[in-house]
Amino acid sequence: MSQLSRSARSRTSSRAAAALLTGAVLCGTAACTGSGGKSGDRSGASESINATPVAAVQQAVAKGAKLKSVSYRLSGTMPGAGTVEGKVSLSLRPRALDMRMKASGGKEEGEFSVRLVGGAVYLGGGKDAAASMGGKHWIKFPMKRKASEGAGGFGGMQRQTDQDPAAQASLLPQSHDVKKVGEETVDGVRTTHYSGMVTVADLLKRRAAKSPLDAKRHQRVIEQYKQLGVSKLNLDMWVGPGHRMMKFRERAQANQGPLDLTIRFLDANKPVTVQAPPASDTMDLGQKLKEAGRLRG
């Protein structure tokens, strides 16, 4: 099998991983509103919030916007990927990502890993991926690519890893029907559950009021939903003591199917160390594309 053919097969075998990256990081745009206290703090009653539901979720968003890193568990349904579950560790400053996911019931199934290290994304698969890449388990995808190189099976990946993990949660306060659902316990912590619905068209027309995010950060996450074909978003937020978000859920209908993702927060502001896979076990897609271009020339 030719190098170019193997590269094409590797791109196909990694579509699910790219889809998971889209969903997880997009869902991770709520992630940095997670627990800002000690990871062992799993008890105590939720604080009495003498504010409207909108003000309460704004406080959680404001606190999350200041965090530098977060880890969380993700589960639910992704358009085109079926049922997904996994764990994500994300650092914003400096930017790094370690995502380990499982997908089932979609176009492609299996376990996938995604690492963002420096200026490159590494997509890792199992035995099937290795069989199509001469025994190598990882694909290295350069984040900065020329427009002429195209996006291939990784379209939008750079936009996803550029997402701001506080931006998604900032959309809930903009709902016209934010309401307090009730008091609930999440992982042993008493929380207050809030919910609301927003429309992408409405979000595109106006900027968030009293948001800790600037206009660019706010607009970027909305554009992601637009690209997925989402018109309406149902958002739920569970806020614990100290305005800490303990859980977040998003539901919508996208072009390729339903989106229903829930994240439960584990740690915040703890070091996230991500190492690149061994070069000997990695196919450099950028290099393969360059070689293919020289052959065509």
Side-chain angles (χ1 to χ4, degrees):
M1 182 181 296
S2 69
Q3 294 279 10
L4 183 57
S5 177
R6 286 178 179 171
S7 177
R9 287 189 59 186
S10 67
R11 290 195 297 271
T12 300
S13 66
S14 300
R15 286 173 184 167
L20 291 176
L21 176 65
T22 300
V25 179
L26 186 59
C27 190
T29 53
C32 276
T33 58
S35 171
K38 297 181 180 179
S39 59
D41 183 8
R42 295 298 182 196
S43 63
S46 61
E47 295 178 344
S48 176
I49 301 177
N50 297 318
T52 66
V54 172
V57 295
Q58 283 178 333
Q59 287 175 316
V61 170
K63 182 165 187 174
K66 299 176 182 178
L67 299 185
K68 296 181 180 180
S69 66
V70 70
S71 64
Y72 58 93
R73 293 194 180 278
L74 169 73
S75 63
T77 303
M78 270 293 297
T83 300
V84 299
E85 61 176 329
K87 181 180 178 180
V88 179
S89 295
L90 175 68
S91 171
L92 294 175
R93 297 181 291 274
R95 185 167 292 275
L97 172 75
D98 186 350
M99 180 176 71
R100 304 179 188 191
M101 304 292 294
K102 295 181 180 178
S104 60
K107 295 179 180 178
E108 295 189 41
E109 301 184 349
E111 298 184 7
F112 307 92
S113 296
V114 180
R115 298 180 188 177
L116 170 61
V117 184
V121 170
Y122 295 84
L123 302 181
K127 295 181 179 179
D128 291 340
S132 66
M133 297 190 296
K136 297 183 178 182
H137 294 82
W138 294 87
I139 302 174
K140 180 181 179 180
F141 180 83
M143 293 304 300
K144 296 181 179 180
R145 302 180 62 187
K146 298 178 181 178
S148 59
E149 291 179 345
F154 306 99
M157 186 176 298
Q158 182 172 353
R159 291 189 299 272
Q160 299 304 333
T161 54
D162 281 343
Q163 281 299 323
D164 186 327
Q168 181 180 349
S170 73
L171 302 182
L172 179 55
Q174 299 177 67
S175 170
H176 295 298
D177 65 346
V178 179
K179 58 183 177 292
K180 175 181 175 180
V181 178
E183 303 291 325
E184 301 175 20
T185 300
V186 176
D187 296 333
V189 177
R190 289 290 301 279
T191 68
T192 303
H193 178 187
Y194 301 95
S195 69
M197 188 273 290
V198 294
T199 65
V200 173
D202 189 31
L203 293 172
L204 288 170
K205 293 178 182 177
R206 58 191 176 88
R207 185 188 172 206
K210 300 181 180 179
S211 172
L213 308 174
D214 60 32
K216 183 177 180 180
R217 296 165 68 186
H218 171 71
Q219 190 74 10
R220 189 163 49 198
V221 68
I222 300 172
E223 289 292 341
Q224 292 294 337
Y225 285 114
K226 180 180 178 181
Q227 291 167 14
L228 288 173
V230 170
S231 59
K232 295 181 180 180
L233 270 170
N234 291 293
L235 303 173
D236 290 83
M237 179 187 297
W238 286 259
V239 180
H243 312 299
R244 297 182 290 118
M245 185 183 299
M246 302 298 300
K247 181 179 173 183
F248 188 90
R249 184 184 184 189
E250 60 173 353
R251 290 167 291 156
Q253 183 65 34
N255 285 336
Q256 296 186 40
L259 169 67
D260 188 346
L261 291 174
T262 298
I263 55 177
R264 292 175 179 266
F265 303 102
L266 304 175
D267 294 309
N269 280 341
K270 291 194 173 183
V272 174
T273 302
V274 184
Q275 294 184 341
S280 59
D281 196 26
T282 302
M283 172 188 284
D284 191 329
L285 182 59
Q287 185 62 35
K288 296 299 181 185
L289 292 173
K290 290 180 181 179
E291 294 174 359
R294 287 196 293 268
L295 289 175
R296 287 195 300 267

